[in-house]
C-alpha cells in the first residue's frame, strides 16, 4: 500500500489518543516484557568468552569473537617510539576531548590520537541532551535514584555518585568554554524531562547538544595546541615487565605505517560498538564504533563489566531506506510524540525507559501489529505531527530542526506525517571496568566514556552518557596528569600479548580474526 | 489478504531496484538507485576512510561536490545524507587548508573588536553569496558573516547552531573568509561574554560543596539492596 494510505490511521486516531493516558508497567510486568522481547535476552545470540579476564562470562557472539581475536602485531615488531608524552588520549569524541583538555590544563604533555578526524564520533550526534540536576525541585540524590532504576539497580554506586555530584560543575565548565545551553527567560538553564527521569533534568542546545559541545571542545583542543594525531587508530597497547600500561601502537590510516607512542599513562576513549551490528541490528553509531577499546584493554588484562547488555534505542528510522538506523531523537517522545501500531493504537507509555519501550515495539511487531517495508523491515509509527497539534504549528520545526532537515532531504515532512521506527543498536551499556578515577585494573590504563562500564548498570538512562563523558573524561585526565611527576616512562614491550597468546593456546587458540576491527567492512568486494 | 499483507509500504525502489549510472571522481559505475552517495562509493568497491565520520549528518566529514545530469550547476551535499540519481557525478571535497585563528576565549577583553584582529578578512565580504549557496545545512552564511561583523553575536550563534563544520562554505569564498570558523569564534564569545550566568547552577554547586545532601546520601548509601529497591519504587 501507498505509505500515505497506511499513515491515515495515525491521523484518524490522533484526537482520540490525545486524551488517553497509559500507565507505566509494574516492575513485574516490565521484567516479563523485557525477558520475552528485549534482544539482551535472546540466548542464541550469546556465548561464553573462552579465556582472558572475563573467562566464562557470556556476551554476544560478535563481541566474544573480537575479544578472543589476535593482534595484528607479531613479537618482533619494532617498538622504537616516534612520540614520547606524559598522557596519550586515544579517541577524539567527547570523553577524549574532555580528558585531553584536563590533562593538558593540569600541565601534562598530552597527545590526542584518533581514528578519523577529531570529533568524528558518536558524541557529535547526541541530540537529546545531557542530564544535570539543576532544577530546584531536583537533586543529585534524585538523579542517582532515577539512574539506578533505569539501570535495574546494577549500577556501580561509587561511580554513579561521582557522576551526579560533579554534573553541575561540569556544566559550569562547559558554559565557561562557551557552550550555549538553552536558557529560560530569567537566564537560568532550561531543563527538559527525559524518559525514565522523575524530574526535568536535560540540558539541551536545541537538538544539537552533542554537536554544540563538540564544536566547542574541538576548538578548544586546537586553541590549546594539544598535539593531534588524526587518522591514527590504536591497534595495540604497550606494557612494561610489570604489566603496567606504557603506551600504544597506532596505525596511520593514510600510509598504513605504525606510529609508536610512549606514554606514562594512556586514556582510552574509543567509544561504542554499534558498527558490530550485533544480532543484525542497524545502528545509530558513527563509522568508527567498532569496540576497539574493549579488545585493546582485554588483551592487557583489564576486566570488563556488563558486556552482555546493550541499549537498543526505541526509535531508529526504518523508512526511507537511506535513513535506516538513524536516530529519531527521544525528545520527540519527551514532548508528547506517541507510538502507534498498525491498528492505530498506543501500546506503551512513551516515556518509560528505553529497554521497556524497545521491548514493547518488538512485541507489537512480532505479534503482527507492525508496518512492514518491502525491504523486509518492520516498525511502528511515531506520531510526530501530534507535536504541532498539541503545541501549535511550527513546533516540530522549531524544536527539532536537525531531524526536520534529515528527513526533508528525502522528501518527507515529519511535521505533517508520522515516521516509521524500530529499535536500533545504540549504546554499549557496559565496558571496561573502572574505578572513580576512571582507571582500570591495569595500572596507568584509564578508560573513559562509552568504552567504560559499570556506571550505567544494565540500561543507560537518556542524557547520562554526555555527562559520563565529561565527568570521567575529566577525572581520567586529571589523575593521569597528576602522576606524571612521580612516575618514569616504563619499557615498551608486548609481554601482555605473549601472555594472551599463551592463554589462547590453552583454550583452543584465538578466534581467527584480527582485532580491533578499526572500521567495518562495508566496501563491496568485486563481482 | 490478511492484516499483515495490507500493512506493507510500497517501495518501488526495493521491489524493482533500478541500477543507475553515476560518475565518481571521473569514473563511471552502476549502482542501485536511491542509495546514499557514501553507500554508492562502497558499492562501487571503493574504500572510504577520509570522507566518512558519523554517517548521521552531524560531523561534516562527507562534504561532497556533485552535479546532476544536464544541470550545469555544481552543488554541494553531505554524502551520508544524499541519495544518488541517474547521471549524477560527484567527488568528495579534499581537506581545505583554511586558517583557524587561535585565541583564549575566556581572556578576550573586547570580543566584538577582537574579531577584526583574529579574522581581519571577515569585514571584506563581497556579498557574492557563494557561501550560502554552498551550505548543505541551509544556513544563510553570508548574512551570518555580516551580522558577525556588525557585532550581532547572538543572531550568529543562533543561525549557526545547525553548522556541522563541513567547510563547504570556505573554498568558495572569494575573500578568503572561513565563515564557519568566524561563526564558531562568535558563538563561543557569545556564550562566554554575552550570556547571562545561570545563577541557579551556582547555587546547586554550592549546595553540593556545602554538603546539603549529605544526610540524604548517608541514608541511601546505608540501605541494603532490598531497602534501596523499595525506596526507588517510591520515587515517581
Ligand atoms: C545518534 C546518537 C545520539 C545520542 N544521543 C545522546 C544524548 O542525547 N544524550 C546522551 O547523553 N547520550 C547520547 N548518545 C550517547 C553518547 O553520544 C555516546 O555514548 C557518547 O558520545 C560516547 O562518547 P565517547 O567519547 O565515549 O565516544 P565517541 O564520541 O564515539 O568517540 C570515540 C572516538 O574514538 C575514536 N576511536 C575509536 N576506536 C579508535 C581506535 N582504535 N584508535 C583511535 N581512535 C579510535 C572514534 O573514531 C571516535 O572519535 C547518543 C549516541 C548516538 C549514537
Ligand atoms: S556554515 Fe559552512 S561549515 Fe557550516 S554547515 Fe554550512 S557550509 Fe558547512
Ligand atoms: S563567499 Fe565570502 S565573499 Fe561571498 S558572501 Fe560568503 S563570505 Fe562573503
Ligand atoms: S559522515 Fe558525518 S555528516 Fe556525513
Amino acid at each position: 500500500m501507498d505509505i500515505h494510505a497506511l499513515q491515515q490511521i495515525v491521523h484518524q486516531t490522533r484526537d482520540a489518543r490525545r486524551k488517553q493516558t497509559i500507565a507505566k508497567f509494574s516492575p513485574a510486568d516490565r521484567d516479563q516484557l523485557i525477558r520475552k522481547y528485549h534482544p539482551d535476552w535472546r540466548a542464541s545470540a550469546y556465548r561464553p568468552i573462552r579465556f582472558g579476564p572475563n573467562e566464562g562470562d557470556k556476551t554476544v557472539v560478535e563481541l566474544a569473537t573480537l575479544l578472543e581475536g589476535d593482534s595484528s602485531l607479531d613479537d618482533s615488531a619494532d617498538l622504537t617510539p616516534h612520540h614520547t608524552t606524559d598522557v596519550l588520549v586515544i579517541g577524539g569524541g567527547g570523553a577524549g576531548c574532555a580528558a585531553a583538555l584536563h590533562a593538558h590544563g593540569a600541565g601534562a604533555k598530552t597527545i590526542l590520537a584518533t581514528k578519523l578526524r577529531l570529533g568524528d564520533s558518536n558524541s557529535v550526534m547526541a541530540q537529546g541532551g545531557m542530564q544535570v540536576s539543576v532544577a530546584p525541585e531536583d537533586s543529585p540524590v534524585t538523579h542517582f535514584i532515577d539512574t539506578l532504576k533505569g539501570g535495574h539497580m546494577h549500577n556501580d554506586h561509587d561511580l554513579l555518585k561521582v557522576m551526579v555530584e560533579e554534573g553541575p560543575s561540569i556544566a559550569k565548565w562547559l558554559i565557561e568554554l562557551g557552550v550555549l545551553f538553552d536558557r529560560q527567560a530569567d537566564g537560568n538553564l532550561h531543563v527538559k524531562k527525559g524518559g525514565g527521569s522523575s524530574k526535568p533534568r536535560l540540558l539541551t542546545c536545541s537538538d544539537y547538544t552533542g554537536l554544540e559541545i563538540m564544536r566547542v571542545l574541538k576548538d578548544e583542543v586546537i586553541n590549546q595546541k594539544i598535539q593531534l594525531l588524526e587518522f591514527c587508530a590504536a591497534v595495540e597497547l604497550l606494557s612494561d615487565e610489570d604489566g603496567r600500561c606504557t603506551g600504544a601502537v597506532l596505525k596511520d590510516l593514510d600510509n598504513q605505517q605504525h606510529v609508536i607512542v610512549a606514554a606514562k599513562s594512556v586514556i582510552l576513549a574509543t567509544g561504542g560498538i554499534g558498527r558490530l551490528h550485533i544480532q543484525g541490528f542497524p545502528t545509530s553509531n558513527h563509522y568508527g564504533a567498532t569496540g576497539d577499546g574493549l579488545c585493546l584493554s582485554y588483551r592487557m588484562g583489564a576486566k570488563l563489566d556488563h558486556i552482555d547488555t546493550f541499549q537498543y534505542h526505541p526509535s531508529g528510522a526504518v523508512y526511507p531506506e537511506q535513513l535506516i538506523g538513524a536516530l529519531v531523537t527521544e525528545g520527540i517522545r519527551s514532548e508528547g510524540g506517541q507510538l502507534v501500531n498498525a491498528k492505530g493504537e498506543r501500546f506503551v507509555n512513551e516515556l518509560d525507559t528505553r529497554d521497556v519501550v524497545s521491548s514493547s515495539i518488538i512485541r507489537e511487531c512480532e505479534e503482527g501489529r507492525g508496518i512492514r517495508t518491502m525491504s523486509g523491515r518492520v516498525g511502528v509509527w511515531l506520531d510526530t505531527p501530534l507535536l504541532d497539534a498539541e503545541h501549535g504549528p511550527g513546533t516540530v520545526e522549531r524544536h527539532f530542526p536537525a531531524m526536520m532537515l534529515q528527513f526533508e532531504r528525502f522528501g518527507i515532512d515529519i511535521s505533517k506525517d508520522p515516521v516509521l521506527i524500530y529499535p536500533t543498536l545504540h549504546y554499549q551499556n557496559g565496558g571496561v571496568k573502572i574505578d572513580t578515577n576512571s582507571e582500570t585494573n591495569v595500572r596507568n590504563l584509564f578508560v573513559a566514556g562509552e568504552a567504560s562500564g559499570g556506571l550505567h548498570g544494565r540500561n543507560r538512562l537518556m542524557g547520562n552518557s554526555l555527562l559520563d563523558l565529561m565527568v570521567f573524561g575529566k577525572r581520567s585526565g586529571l589523575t593521569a596528569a597528576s602522576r606524571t611527576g612521580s612516575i618514569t616512562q616504563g619499557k615498551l614491550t608486548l609481554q601482555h600479548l605473549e601472555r594472551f597468546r599463551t592463554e589462547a593456546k590453552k583454550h583452543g587458540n584465538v578466534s581467527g580474526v584480527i582485532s580491533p576491527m578499526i572500521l567495518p567492512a562495508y566496501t563491496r568486494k568485486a563481482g | 489478504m490478511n492484516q499483515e499483507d495490507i500493512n506493507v509500504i510500497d517501495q518501488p525502489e526495493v521491489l524493482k531496484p533500478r541500477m543507475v549510472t553515476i560518475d565518481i571522481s571521473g569514473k563511471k559505475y552502476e549502482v542501485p538507485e536511491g542509495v546514499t552517495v557514501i553507500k554508492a562509493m562502497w558499492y562501487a568497491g571503493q574504500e572510504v576512510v577520509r570522507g566518512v565520520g558519523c554517517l548521521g549528518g552531524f560531523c561534516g566529514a562527507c562534504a561532497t561536490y556533485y552535479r546532476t545530469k544536464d544541470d550545469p550547476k555544481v552543488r554541494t551535499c553531505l554524502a551520508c545524507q544524499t541519495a544518488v540519481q541517474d547521471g549524477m557525478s560527484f567527488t568528495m571535497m579534499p581537506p581545505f587548508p583554511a586558517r583557524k585563528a587561535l585565541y583564549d576565549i575566556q581572556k578576550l577583553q573586547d570580543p566584538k573588536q577582537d574579531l577584526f584582529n583574529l579574522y581581519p578578512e571577515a569585514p571584506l565580504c563581497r556579498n557574492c553569496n557563494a557561501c550560502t549557496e554552498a551550505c548543505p545545512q541551509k544556513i544563510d552564511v553570508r548574512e551570518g558573516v555580516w551580522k558577525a561583523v556588525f557585532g550581532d553575536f547572538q543572531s550568529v550563534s543562533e543561525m549557526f547552531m545547525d553548522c556541522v563544520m563541513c567547510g563547504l562554505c570556505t573554498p568558495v569564498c572569494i575573500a578568503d573568509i572561513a565563515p564557519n570558523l568566524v561563526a564558531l569564534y562568535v558563538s563561543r564569545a557569545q556564550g562566554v561574554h554575552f550570556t547571562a550566568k545561570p545563577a541557579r547552577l551556582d547555587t546547586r554547586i554550592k549546595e553540593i560543596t556545602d554538603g546539603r545532601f549529605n544526610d540524604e546520601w548517608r541514608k541511601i548509601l546505608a540501605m541494603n539492596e532490598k531497602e534501596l529497591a523499595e525506596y526507588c519504587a517510591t520515587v515517581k
Side-chain angles (χ1 to χ4, degrees):
Chain A
M1 257 210 276
D2 177 64
I3 182 158
H4 292 292
L6 286 168
Q7 285 166 334
Q8 280 315 313
I9 188 114
V10 183
H11 298 306
Q12 283 155 10
T13 55
R14 184 167 300 126
D15 279 335
R17 279 184 282 108
R18 277 164 80 169
K19 296 176 203 91
Q20 195 185 7
T21 47
I22 293 196
K24 289 197 184 165
F25 285 97
S26 71
D29 289 349
R30 153 187 158 135
D31 275 358
Q32 205 191 355
L33 177 80
I34 288 175
R35 275 164 203 261
K36 191 146 176 221
Y37 293 104
H38 195 279
D40 274 0
W41 292 89
R42 203 130 298 181
S44 59
Y46 282 77
R47 74 163 170 86
I49 305 168
R50 287 183 292 128
F51 55 90
N54 288 70
E55 181 180 335
D57 291 354
K58 281 197 172 170
T59 189
V60 286
V61 177
E62 293 86 349
L63 179 57
T65 308
L66 283 178
L67 291 174
E68 295 166 359
D70 202 356
S71 169
S72 59
L73 268 78
D74 54 44
D75 303 341
S76 60
D78 180 6
L79 300 178
T80 319
H82 301 88
H83 302 278
T84 300
T85 186
D86 293 330
V87 180
L88 170 64
V89 179
I90 300 172
C97 288
L101 285 170
H102 281 95
H104 172 87
K109 180 172 188 304
T110 305
I111 293 180
L112 195 162
T114 191
K115 185 152 72 177
L116 300 163
R117 301 176 316 166
L118 178 64
D120 294 350
S121 62
N122 281 359
S123 299
V124 280
M125 288 190 279
Q127 288 180 273
M130 173 167 111
Q131 295 235 21
V132 181
S133 70
V134 288
E137 70 271 25
D138 196 9
S139 83
V141 184
T142 316
H143 188 177
F144 182 94
I145 296 292
D146 283 344
T147 308
L148 265 186
K149 282 169 79 170
H152 300 268
M153 314 298 286
H154 289 280
N155 316 56
D156 180 316
H157 289 189
D158 295 334
L159 296 178
L160 182 51
K161 181 164 185 285
V162 162
M163 181 182 82
V164 298
E165 285 204 301
E166 290 191 4
S169 44
I170 213 80
K172 190 176 163 78
W173 177 67
L174 291 171
I175 289 167
E176 285 172 352
L177 286 174
V179 172
L180 292 160
F181 289 116
D182 295 331
R183 302 301 185 93
Q184 300 171 358
D186 67 0
N188 276 308
L189 292 162
H190 175 71
V191 277
K192 269 199 208 167
K193 197 160 166 181
S197 298
S198 63
K199 296 281 181 313
R201 193 182 294 132
L202 281 172
L203 305 187
T204 50
C205 314
S206 172
D207 62 344
Y208 288 109
T209 314
L211 178 60
E212 166 67 0
I213 292 177
M214 287 306 295
R215 270 190 305 243
V216 168
L217 295 186
K218 267 165 42 183
D219 192 47
E220 192 60 16
V221 165
I222 297 169
N223 281 347
Q224 296 292 337
K225 305 196 190 85
I226 292 172
Q227 188 180 353
L228 280 179
L229 301 172
E230 292 182 307
F231 295 100
C232 280
V235 293
E236 193 58 60
L237 293 171
L238 295 167
S239 62
D240 67 8
E241 55 282 78
D242 297 319
R244 288 178 293 226
C245 187
T246 53
V249 181
L250 315 173
K251 185 168 145 187
D252 183 328
L253 299 182
D254 286 327
N255 63 12
Q256 313 304 319
Q257 301 199 345
H258 283 161
V259 179
I260 313 290
V261 184
K264 289 179 182 169
S265 26
V266 173
I267 301 173
L268 276 176
T270 49
I273 205 179
R275 293 281 153 194
L276 302 186
H277 295 293
I278 290 164
Q279 302 191 37
F281 271 85
T283 183
S284 59
N285 285 191
H286 85 289
Y287 191 35
T290 46
D292 297 358
L294 300 181
C295 304
L296 294 170
S297 356
Y298 197 68
R299 287 206 284 264
M300 281 286 277
K303 187 138 171 77
L304 313 179
D305 205 4
H306 289 139
I307 43 155
D308 56 338
T309 156
F310 301 89
Q311 187 166 76
Y312 298 81
H313 191 290
S315 44
V318 267
Y319 182 91
E321 291 290 298
Q322 292 87 349
L323 289 181
I324 283 175
L327 214 62
V328 176
T329 171
E330 201 124 41
I332 300 271
R333 276 176 289 128
S334 304
E335 294 201 14
Q338 297 181 343
L339 293 168
V340 181
N341 67 19
K343 298 164 102 176
E345 305 157 340
R346 288 173 70 194
F347 49 86
V348 67
N349 181 311
E350 286 81 2
L351 291 184
D352 218 321
T353 48
R354 285 186 175 162
D355 46 0
V356 171
V357 178
S358 286
S359 301
S360 70
I361 295 169
I362 295 174
R363 179 192 63 201
E364 291 305 297
C365 293
E366 288 191 358
E367 292 181 355
R369 292 184 296 276
I371 298 90
R372 289 188 291 134
T373 71
M374 286 191 159
S375 55
R377 311 239 168 220
V378 59
V380 297
W381 299 113
L382 175 64
D383 190 358
T384 40
L386 178 61
L387 267 59
D388 277 15
E390 284 287 338
H391 311 294
T395 304
V396 176
E397 174 148 33
R398 258 196 327 279
H399 294 188
F400 304 100
M403 218 190 115
M404 277 288 283
L405 195 59
Q406 209 174 26
F407 280 82
E408 213 175 272
R409 290 195 173 104
F410 299 99
I412 298 170
D413 181 348
I414 61 165
S415 68
K416 303 228 157 44
D417 283 316
V419 286
L420 196 64
I421 56 107
Y422 189 77
T424 185
L425 177 55
H426 187 55
Y427 187 80
Q428 157 196 313
N429 288 318
V432 186
K433 199 173 163 62
I434 52 166
D435 63 18
T436 52
N437 287 325
S438 228
E439 192 169 17
T440 67
N441 60 303
V442 176
R443 185 80 178 159
N444 301 331
L445 175 62
F446 297 79
V447 177
E450 188 168 343
S452 71
L455 171 63
H456 302 290
R458 299 190 63 83
N459 173 53
R460 172 185 65 103
L461 215 56
M462 93 168 277
N464 265 346
S465 176
L466 282 180
L467 181 58
D468 168 14
L469 310 183
M470 295 302 122
V471 169
F472 288 93
K474 170 182 174 180
R475 291 179 85 90
S476 62
L478 289 181
T479 314
S482 74
R483 288 204 188 143
T484 54
S486 57
I487 53 179
T488 48
Q489 175 64 49
K491 278 212 191 102
L492 306 183
T493 84
L494 292 172
Q495 287 182 19
H496 61 282
L497 212 51
E498 280 168 42
R499 283 195 299 275
F500 182 83
R501 284 172 173 153
T502 314
E503 170 101 2
K505 268 211 191 82
K506 275 196 263 168
H507 291 82
N509 244 327
V510 289
S511 63
V513 302
I514 297 289
S515 64
M517 182 186 275
I518 310 295
L519 290 174
Y522 289 151
T523 304
R524 199 172 62 116
K525 299 284 173 284
Chain B
M1 261 200 276
N2 68 29
Q3 181 75 22
E4 288 208 25
D5 293 329
I6 300 171
N7 288 321
V8 179
I9 300 178
D10 291 336
Q11 284 174 289
E13 72 275 20
V14 176
L15 253 191
K16 268 199 230 135
R18 202 164 75 98
M19 298 301 277
V20 294
T21 307
I22 57 164
D23 178 312
I24 309 177
S25 308
K27 277 192 191 163
K28 294 222 179 318
Y29 298 92
E30 295 260 302
V31 303
E33 182 176 34
V35 298
T36 59
V37 168
I38 285 185
K39 284 190 185 156
M41 291 175 79
W42 284 329
Y43 190 89
Q46 303 200 357
E47 297 278 348
V48 198
V49 178
R50 284 184 181 262
V52 189
C54 65
L55 290 170
F58 287 94
C59 75
C62 59
T64 295
Y65 298 109
Y66 74 97
R67 209 171 52 71
T68 51
K69 208 181 196 165
D70 304 330
D71 183 353
K73 184 159 174 59
V74 175
R75 297 170 195 275
T76 56
C77 70
L78 297 176
C80 69
Q81 299 292 307
T82 308
V84 294
Q85 43 176 289
D86 194 38
M88 185 176 186
S89 43
F90 61 81
T91 195
M92 284 193 151
M93 183 176 95
F96 188 77
R99 181 186 65 89
K100 194 195 101 58
L102 299 183
Y103 40 83
D104 184 337
I105 197 81
Q106 281 152 352
K107 296 220 178 93
L108 298 171
Q109 292 304 317
D110 186 357
K112 295 192 179 175
Q113 204 51 46
D114 292 333
L115 169 67
F116 303 112
N117 304 327
L118 294 167
Y119 290 110
E121 62 279 15
L124 305 180
C125 167
R126 285 189 263 157
N127 252 329
C128 71
N129 212 36
C131 49
T132 303
E133 285 185 35
C135 178
Q137 295 292 89
K138 303 189 174 158
I139 299 168
D140 190 343
V141 185
R142 182 196 62 85
E143 179 80 6
V145 171
W146 280 100
K147 287 202 146 75
V149 169
F150 284 117
D152 185 358
F153 280 22
Q154 172 156 3
S155 296
V156 176
S157 69
E158 286 162 8
M159 290 169 74
F160 283 77
M161 188 52 90
D162 300 44
C163 172
V164 293
M165 303 293 283
C166 64
L168 278 163
C169 53
T170 306
V172 294
C173 182
I174 48 176
D176 293 312
I177 301 168
N180 59 326
L181 298 178
V182 170
L184 176 60
Y185 163 78
V186 168
S187 301
R188 288 191 66 190
Q190 171 67 22
V192 176
H193 298 278
F194 307 111
T195 305
K197 303 278 166 275
R200 203 178 279 148
L201 179 64
D202 288 327
T203 314
R204 178 52 44 85
I205 293 171
K206 190 160 184 311
E207 285 172 346
I208 293 171
T209 38
D210 290 352
R212 206 196 115 188
F213 305 105
N214 286 358
D215 291 344
E216 232 178 310
W217 278 126
R218 262 192 294 278
K219 192 178 96 191
I220 282 176
L221 296 174
M223 289 178 182
N224 64 30
E225 240 177 81
K226 189 163 162 283
E227 289 165 342
L228 192 57
E230 280 165 8
Y231 179 78
C232 281
T234 66
V235 179
K236 291 254 156 60

